[in-house]
Amino acid sequence: MQSWASPHVPSLPGASGPLWLHDTATDMVRPTTPGPTATIYVCGITPYDATHLGHAATYLAFDLVQRVWLDGGRAVHYVQNITDIDDPLLQRAERDGLDWRDLAANQIQLFREDMAALRVLPPRDYIGAVEAMDEVSGAVARLLEMGAAYRVEDAEHPDVYFDVAAAPKFGYESRYDLATMLALAAERGGDPDRPGKRNALDPGLWRMPREGEPFWDSTMGPGRPGWHIECSVIAGNRLGPTIDLQGGGSDLIFPHHECSAAHSEVLTGVVPFARHYTHAAMIALDGEKMSKSRGNLVFVSRLRADGVDPMAIRLALLSGHYRQDRAWTDQLLDQATARLADWRRAANRQGSDAATVLHGLRSALTDDLDTPAAIELLDRWAADDGLAGGVVADAVDALLGIALH
């Protein structure tokens, strides 16, 4: 599937040092250790709604990761999926009287436009679940052959499930206790109470057809894949058995990332699936997490349609640390708009060398993407009429993704 056009990234003098990031599995901030080509997988959207600000904050966090790695002299192989077949998509299409394929295509295109407007670097591989159907069904067949998966005894719907007992380290990424896992599985698309499962936490791998639902033929019979196996296969087939970073929102820690890592590790025999599991925090509106279920979404496309500069949106979202739950307010956007104007005035300024600003910006971002510290530094630069704008403006573009010209 086509992604979106890449923005220009200016070259800067010198280079960033090692990027330190928080790792969910160890609850430590520690250095990433990629080779010449860093590998990253970030979960994409389920296209029944396009980019709300919670989505945008997540993709901006991992865009910064790419930018710091690139500034450190590495190539980046970034893969992102699109869950373009899933229950929420089918339910929204039925509610709105649309063909699910048309709804998905419309929302994917809107997402592309939002990402381009926000100057997010595109993935090298942008893969929909539908186009990876043969890959995914083949992996489910292998798990069945390995004894790591099973069919429930249900004459009407003998769905295939993953046996979490096949992954001895299951739970290492989230570090949640059993009660928390069960609660989150029920809340986030799982079916812990389904009769016939070996373990309540066993996630679905292949869903046999229900009346009126789309399905695909496979070696397991007709059906469609579970969510977690989709990401395992799309990532593993393009990046290999171990990757440098798996990223997403903190609501994906369990069950999605825990299960997708377990699937990959059983399929390949290589543990861990990712050297870093890094998660972005949630964006709230009126004191509640921004989510589809609450109906309190603010969409990037609507802000753009209202004439808001996408760079102000980006700057507002970067004003808080990526691991800190934070609120979206009109005041936050107003502050970002004013700050952006100040920085743009400074960008064309003549003055003394500002190499120390570039060094400080790199230091802040390599320290677990400390954007608040980076912004504070740039505010001081903008307020100092004696400092030149040129290299700093290029650095803000290359490292923060904010165009000042």
Side-chain angles (χ1 to χ4, degrees), residues 135-166:
E135 298 177 49
V136 176
S137 62
V140 175
R142 291 197 300 276
L143 290 169
L144 276 169
E145 292 167 2
M146 295 168 68
Y150 62 94
R151 290 188 183 275
V152 292
E153 294 184 3
D154 183 325
E156 188 175 4
H157 301 123
D159 301 326
V160 180
Y161 283 82
F162 179 75
D163 187 346
V164 296

Side-chain angles (χ1 to χ4, degrees), residues 165-210:
K169 292 191 68 176
F170 186 83
Y172 79 90
E173 180 187 336
S174 64
R175 299 175 289 109
Y176 293 152
D177 59 28
L178 177 59
T180 301
M181 288 182 181
L182 288 170
L184 290 176
E187 177 185 328
R188 296 173 177 171
D191 55 357
D193 297 327
R194 180 168 183 181
K197 291 172 61 172
R198 295 175 183 173
N199 187 311
L201 292 175
D202 290 348
L205 293 172
W206 192 259
R207 175 182 169 91
M208 304 303 284
R210 271 63 166 174

Side-chain angles (χ1 to χ4, degrees), residues 44-339:
I45 61 167
T46 301
Y48 61 100
D49 268 327
T51 325
H52 61 71
L53 292 177
H55 288 140
T58 294
Y59 297 121
L60 290 182
F62 296 104
D63 186 57
L64 296 184
V65 170
Q66 288 195 80
R67 289 171 179 275
V68 172
W69 275 338
L70 289 168
D71 186 57
R74 292 177 173 82
V76 178
H77 189 172
Y78 172 28
V79 178
Q80 186 179 126
N81 75 310
I82 312 148
T83 304
D84 54 355
I85 179 63
D86 202 11
D87 288 345
L89 173 63
L90 298 177
Q91 291 161 3
R92 178 63 59 86
E94 182 178 6
R95 187 199 74 178
D96 294 347
L98 300 171
D99 186 294
W100 64 272
R101 289 159 293 200
D102 293 338
L103 175 60
N106 176 273
Q107 295 303 304
I108 291 168
Q109 179 56 27
L110 192 55
F111 177 75
R112 291 189 190 104
E113 293 169 3
D114 287 338
M115 292 296 99
L118 292 172
R119 304 185 77 248
V120 173
L121 299 175
R124 182 188 302 182
D125 297 299
Y126 190 47
I127 310 295
V130 170
E131 64 184 314
M133 198 62 66
D134 290 342
E135 298 177 49
V136 176
S137 62
V140 175
R142 291 197 300 276
L143 290 169
L144 276 169
E145 292 167 2
M146 295 168 68
Y150 62 94
R151 290 188 183 275
V152 292
E153 294 184 3
D154 183 325
E156 188 175 4
H157 301 123
D159 301 326
V160 180
Y161 283 82
F162 179 75
D163 187 346
V164 296
K169 292 191 68 176
F170 186 83
Y172 79 90
E173 180 187 336
S174 64
R175 299 175 289 109
Y176 293 152
D177 59 28
L178 177 59
T180 301
M181 288 182 181
L182 288 170
L184 290 176
E187 177 185 328
R188 296 173 177 171
D191 55 357
D193 297 327
R194 180 168 183 181
K197 291 172 61 172
R198 295 175 183 173
N199 187 311
L201 292 175
D202 290 348
L205 293 172
W206 192 259
R207 175 182 169 91
M208 304 303 284
R210 271 63 166 174
E211 184 177 355
E213 290 186 357
F215 62 86
W216 288 260
D217 290 324
S218 77
T219 54
M220 282 79 58
R224 57 185 171 93
W227 180 26
H228 317 310
I229 189 65
E230 165 197 338
C231 286
S232 299
V233 172
I234 289 174
N237 285 357
R238 288 152 187 86
L239 297 173
T242 299
I243 67 175
D244 291 308
L245 173 61
Q246 182 178 36
S250 59
D251 55 344
L252 299 186
I253 295 172
F254 192 92
H256 185 50
H257 283 178
E258 190 78 64
C259 292
S260 63
H263 297 338
S264 296
E265 290 161 0
V266 171
L267 282 165
T268 66
V270 178
V271 180
F273 167 61
R275 297 182 183 92
H276 261 78
Y277 299 99
T278 299
H279 295 92
M282 298 291 102
I283 303 297
L285 181 70
D286 297 329
E288 289 191 329
K289 169 193 162 185
M290 202 174 288
S291 70
K292 295 180 179 72
S293 61
R294 291 185 171 91
N296 62 344
L297 302 180
V298 177
F299 290 97
V300 171
S301 56
R302 292 179 188 167
L303 290 174
R304 292 195 294 116
D306 290 339
V308 177
D309 187 332
M311 294 300 90
I313 301 171
R314 182 168 180 128
L315 183 51
L317 289 170
L318 294 181
S319 65
H321 194 273
Y322 81 97
R323 286 198 290 120
Q324 179 183 14
D325 289 341
R326 54 204 189 274
W328 177 265
T329 63
D330 291 340
Q331 181 183 15
L332 183 70
L333 183 57
D334 290 343
Q335 290 171 344
T337 301
R339 172 174 281 133

